[in-house]
Amino acid sequence: MIDRQALRRDFDAMQAALARRGADVVGEGSPWARVSELDARQRELKTESETLQAERNRVSKEIGLRKGKGEDASAAIAAMGEVSRRVKELDALTKEAEAQFAAALLEIPNPLHDSVPDGSGEEDNVEVSRWGSPRTDAVPAHWDIGTDLGILDFEAGATLAGSRFTVLRGAAARLERGLMQFMLDLHADHHGYEEVWVPAIANARTMTGTGQLPKFAEDLYKLEEEDAYLIPTAEVPVTNLYQDKILDASELPKRHCAYTPCFRREAGSAGRDVRGMIRQHQFDKVELVHITTPERALSDLEELTAHAEAVLQALELPYRKVELCTADIGFSSQKTYDLEVWLPSQQCYREISSCSSFGQFQGRRAGIRFREEGGKPQPAATLNGSGLAIGRTLVALLENGWQQDGSVRIPESLRPYVGGLEVIRP
C-alpha cells in the first residue's frame, strides 16, 4: 500500500512513478484518480467539521455567559443544536469517505524504483547475465520424455481433477520430493534461512496483506463457505507471520524458507502452455522471504536472487537473469529479477523464479513494522523469490538431462536426495 503522507507530500513524484507502469494506472477513472478525489473529499469534510466544532465551542461559551447573566439563550441553544446535527452528519460522511479511500488505496500498485527499465512489454526486459551452456540439439518436450519413461501421467491428472493437473509416478515423484529437500537444505544449511512450515490456506486479511486481494481475486481458489483461500505461493503465509507486529531493528533481516503446495486458477492464461507442467493449477514451490529495513531492501534483493541462482547452478541448469521492465513487473513489486531456465525442446529460456523487492508496500498493508532504538515504528520492507518452483525444475531436469537412448541423467548434487539414482531409464 502506498504511503498516505507521501501521497500528499510528494504527489507529483508518486504520480510520475506510477505513470511509468502505464497510463491506465493514473488516468481518468483509475484507482489513482479515485484516491486523489477521495483524499480531497476527506480533507474538505475534515476542514468543515473542524470549523463547525470551533463554532460549537464558541456558542457553548456564549450560552454559559448568557445563562450566568440571566439572559435568554434560546437562540444560541437552537443554533448549537443545528451545528451539532451538522457535525454528526459530517462525521458519518467522513467515515464513509475514509472507508472508500482505504479501499481505493488497496487497488493502487507499488510505485516503481527509479532503476527499473522502461518498456512496453516483456520483450523490453533487460538481460543481466547468463550462466551455463544451453543445449542446441534436438530434445523432445518434457511431456514426451516423461510419458515415454512412464513417470508423468497427464491422463490420470485430467481424470482426477481436470486440465492442468499431473500425476507423478515412480522416479518423477521421487524427484519432486528430492528437489524439495535439496532446495530446503541448501537454503537452511548454507544460505542461513530459517525453515518454516505454514498453512496452505489463508484468510482474506492475510491475502490482502501481501497484495493478492482485492486485485487478483479471480486467480485464487476460494473456499466456498469460508472467508479463506488456497494459497498461490508461500509468500502469503510466511510474510504474514509478522502481520500487525512491531519488530526491533536489531532483529532484522529475518529470512525464511518454506515449502508449500501452491494453487492458481490461471484465469488469464487461457490457451497458454496447455500441454505439460509449465502452467499447472497445483504445483510445489520452495519460497524465500526476507523481512528487512528499507535501506537494505535492494541489497537484499541481490542476495536473495543469488540464493535462487545457486540452486540452478548446483543442478547444472543453464539460465539467465533478467530485470523486468515497467510494463511487465508485478502489482506489488518495486523491482524484480526473473530467473529463466533453458528448455532445449523450446530453444528458449522460461521463467523458473521471480525475485522481488516490495519496499514498504506489503509492510503497510500487513501492518509489519520495525523500530530503531529510540525511534517510532515504521513499515518494514519485504522481499521474496522462488527458490525454486519445483515442477518447472523437474521439467528442466528432464529436458536438459535427456540422452539419446531416452534416459535422463540426474545431476550429481541431487543424487543423494533420490536414493543414489544416477539415470532414469525407460
Side-chain angles (χ1 to χ4, degrees), residues 176 179 277-278 283-285 388-396:
E176 187 88 359
L179 283 166
M277 293 176 57
I278 292 295
F283 59 96
D284 295 321
K285 186 150 67 83
L388 302 165
I390 298 175
R392 292 191 179 193
T393 305
L394 177 59
V395 167

Side-chain angles (χ1 to χ4, degrees), residues 92-347:
L93 290 172
T94 301
K95 186 176 181 180
E96 180 183 356
E98 165 61 25
Q100 293 175 345
F101 179 68
L105 277 180
L106 293 176
E107 296 183 25
I108 295 179
N110 199 356
L112 299 176
H113 191 269
D114 291 342
S115 64
V116 174
D118 290 319
S120 57
E122 63 179 34
E123 65 279 359
D124 294 320
N125 293 338
V126 176
E127 183 175 301
V128 177
S129 61
R130 292 191 182 196
W131 186 92
S133 301
R135 292 183 65 165
T136 57
D137 57 327
V139 174
H142 69 275
W143 53 80
D144 289 328
I145 296 172
T147 300
D148 290 344
L149 290 171
I151 60 175
L152 298 183
D153 193 336
F154 299 103
E155 290 186 7
T159 298
L160 294 172
S163 62
R164 298 187 192 254
F165 291 92
T166 306
V167 171
L168 307 184
R169 296 181 179 275
R174 187 153 196 176
L175 272 176
E176 187 88 359
R177 173 163 54 92
L179 283 166
M180 175 189 73
Q181 293 176 291
F182 168 75
M183 293 176 191
L184 289 173
D185 282 355
L186 182 62
H187 297 311
D189 297 342
H190 299 282
H191 297 155
Y193 287 78
E194 179 189 20
E195 184 180 347
V196 292
W197 190 276
V198 292
I201 293 175
N203 59 34
R205 167 77 173 97
T206 297
M207 286 289 191
T208 302
T210 40
Q212 280 70 31
L213 288 178
K215 176 72 173 177
F216 302 106
E218 67 173 11
D219 281 327
L220 302 174
Y221 283 102
K222 188 177 189 303
L223 303 189
E224 187 173 356
E225 297 182 1
E226 298 181 44
D227 191 21
Y229 302 79
L230 299 179
I231 62 169
T233 167
E235 163 200 350
V236 177
V238 177
T239 303
N240 278 281
L241 286 173
Y242 301 98
Q243 183 185 113
D244 297 327
K245 287 183 169 54
I246 299 177
L247 305 170
D248 193 285
S250 63
E251 300 177 61
L252 303 179
K254 288 187 175 292
R255 303 192 303 179
H256 296 295
C257 61
Y259 156 78
T260 62
C262 304
F263 305 89
R264 299 181 186 177
R265 292 180 60 200
E266 297 288 353
S269 65
R272 296 174 60 193
D273 298 309
V274 293
R275 293 193 69 183
M277 293 176 57
I278 292 295
R279 199 176 297 276
Q280 299 273 274
H281 289 309
Q282 177 184 337
F283 59 96
D284 295 321
K285 186 150 67 83
V286 169
E287 190 79 358
L288 307 176
V289 172
H290 287 203
I291 310 293
T292 189
T293 62
E295 294 75 20
R296 285 187 54 124
L298 292 183
S299 61
D300 272 28
L301 177 59
E302 301 296 331
E303 181 182 55
L304 183 150
T305 306
H307 292 155
E309 290 183 75
V311 181
L312 290 164
Q313 292 174 16
L315 295 175
E316 306 168 29
L317 294 173
Y319 70 92
R320 69 173 187 165
K321 173 183 174 181
V322 299
E323 183 175 359
L324 299 195
C325 72
T326 54
D328 199 33
I329 199 166
F331 174 84
S332 298
S333 179
Q334 177 189 65
K335 182 182 178 74
T336 295
Y337 292 119
D338 272 5
L339 301 180
E340 299 177 347
V341 69
W342 180 256
L343 293 186
S345 71
Q346 300 180 22
Q347 289 293 295

